[in-house]
């Protein structure tokens, strides 16, 4: 079961643009931080599926959460 559901009206490139324009702001709201994490999750999952990294579906979910957490923490702690 997916942790987040991808918004139907949001393209992956739009997620990247939002992250790029928002992540380095000094005072992010909790909503913006959550949205950045969610978009990183969707991007990681999409790229992992595209590259066929794993044999089992649940591994993609775990990988997406791990990847989003790692990248989010790296982006916020410069």
């Amino acid at each position: 079961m997916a942790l987040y559901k991808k918004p139907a009206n949001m393209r992956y490139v739009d997620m990247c643009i939002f992250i790029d324009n928002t992540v380095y702001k000094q005072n992010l709201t909790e909503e913006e931080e959550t949205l950045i994490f969610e978009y990183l999750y969707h991007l990681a999952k999409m790229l992992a599926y595209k590259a066929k990294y794993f044999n089992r579906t649940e591994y993609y979910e775990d990988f997406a959460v791990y990847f989003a957490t790692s990248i989010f923490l790296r982006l916020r702690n410069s």
Side-chain angles (χ1 to χ4, degrees), residues 13-23 32 35-36 39:
V13 70
D14 295 331
M15 291 180 189
C16 294
I17 291 169
F18 175 81
I19 291 169
D20 194 40
N21 291 336
T22 309
V23 76
E32 288 173 326
L35 210 50
I36 290 170
Y39 289 171

Side-chain angles (χ1 to χ4, degrees), residues 32-63:
E32 288 173 326
E33 287 184 341
T34 303
L35 210 50
I36 290 170
F37 181 84
E38 182 179 342
Y39 289 171
L40 287 169
Y41 163 86
H42 289 303
L43 292 166
K45 193 170 181 181
M46 178 267 302
L47 291 171
Y49 266 115
K50 193 168 185 135
K52 299 177 183 171
Y53 281 171
F54 308 108
N55 296 335
R56 299 181 61 183
T57 310
E58 55 270 7
Y59 293 164
Y60 289 100
E61 195 72 27
D62 294 340
F63 173 75

